[in-house]
Amino acid sequence: MSSIQVSLIHSLPMTCGSVALNIIIITVSLGLNGFSLTSSFHLRRPSLFNHPLPSLQEIKALVTSSEHEVHIAKEALKATERGIEEAYERNRIAKGTHDGLVVKLANLKAQFREQIMEDGLKESNRWNEMYYKLLQWKENHDGDVLVGVDKDSDEDTKKLSRWVINQRSAYKYFMNGDTKHIKDHRIDALNKMGFVWCVADHVFQANVEELKQYHAENEKFDIPVKENKKLAAFVSRVRTAYANKQEGRAQHDLTDEKIEQLDAIGFKWGFKKSRKKTSSTSTAFDYDTQIALLQEFKNEYGHTKVNKLIKEWQKGEGEPSKKEYRRLPVFLTFARKEYISYVEGQPSLIDAEKVKALTDLGVEWKQPPNVPRKNTGGEASRKKKPRIEAPYHEQEFVAAELDVEAALPPLAANLHVPALPSPNIVAPKFDDGQSTMI
């Protein structure tokens, strides 16, 4: 609702040069939905012409004109608001259509990957043979896919275990951008099986779940060794690693995510005193002492292949001139581990200066997983005859997304995606003489 009020009319005598003027000020207040608009109209009337003041009718006409303009502005505002609401509604509909098409496109991608996986598993090659052996192993061993071996394991089990380890290694390279060691559809097949890509993480998760159950039953985290030796060792390890991390030592196995998981179950980290500098970690990486010792070793033997001489000494083939040389392998192992962390940008006790000094002495470094290997000795490294396979490129999916979004309106009502049938994979018979294994 709008209201109009004429607040005040002033008549002020003023002088402009030799001419006397009356300044008439008319103040009109308009109220509009909680907002106020005040206007002042200045009418100058030279007194010498004796013009009459504006009549009340003239003032009312002026007010009526202003009210009409306010009404027009209100209508324009309402129209704008309706337009905004309609635009929001159109945007909501378009977003819903887009989201629906994105879901359908994702389903199509999943069906495509599923089909590629099924077709790949029907081929006769060594990888598929080992895959079905692992599938059979899982069925016969209560879902186990780790395939652990011991001295009593038969040769087939050892081969399967080595194959499983090779898949983890290939996947690690794949995640670092080196995709030639394992194919996408094979990763999909192993994921569908529930394959364990990182044994350390798998064991950690299992221990956390067991620790959570133990705490629920016993309301404590301090586990006697006699009661549960494995779980007690796990608790001791994580507490030691946490204490080292608090003191600034690199602890790559105990990540922040794992600490949060243990915090979530209320784990008590305990209080440990700072370890002395004579601890195994500090001794192993007493850099100045160890590199000086390594320099002496090289001066005496002409190389830094300490492990080779250690094996000879252990067989009784000679003796080291200094017993301290026996500790050098521990130092070099620790340095190589820290080197991997250094090149991957993780916290490390080694820096560029130390790397250069050790390299100059002839220390050979183990390359991180994202550095391609010259020859894996597996299927990806051997020359094969080219064969035609179904296309499986991410850029095709990107192009498909662009085409779908460009044709949103017609596709919104007409696109129909058939339901994906449940896969029924039957292990084919293999010819042992074909292909090779990763």
Side-chain angles (χ1 to χ4, degrees), residues 241-261:
Y242 183 78
N244 289 337
K245 194 166 188 174
Q246 294 296 102
E247 294 175 6
R249 298 187 180 93
Q251 297 294 317
H252 311 299
D253 295 334
L254 186 64
T255 62
D256 292 339
E257 290 76 12
K258 291 180 178 179
I259 292 175
E260 290 176 1
Q261 280 187 273

Side-chain angles (χ1 to χ4, degrees), residues 71-82:
H71 176 73
I72 294 174
K74 285 174 59 179
E75 293 300 321
L77 180 61
K78 290 180 180 179
T80 302
E81 291 174 348
R82 287 194 298 270

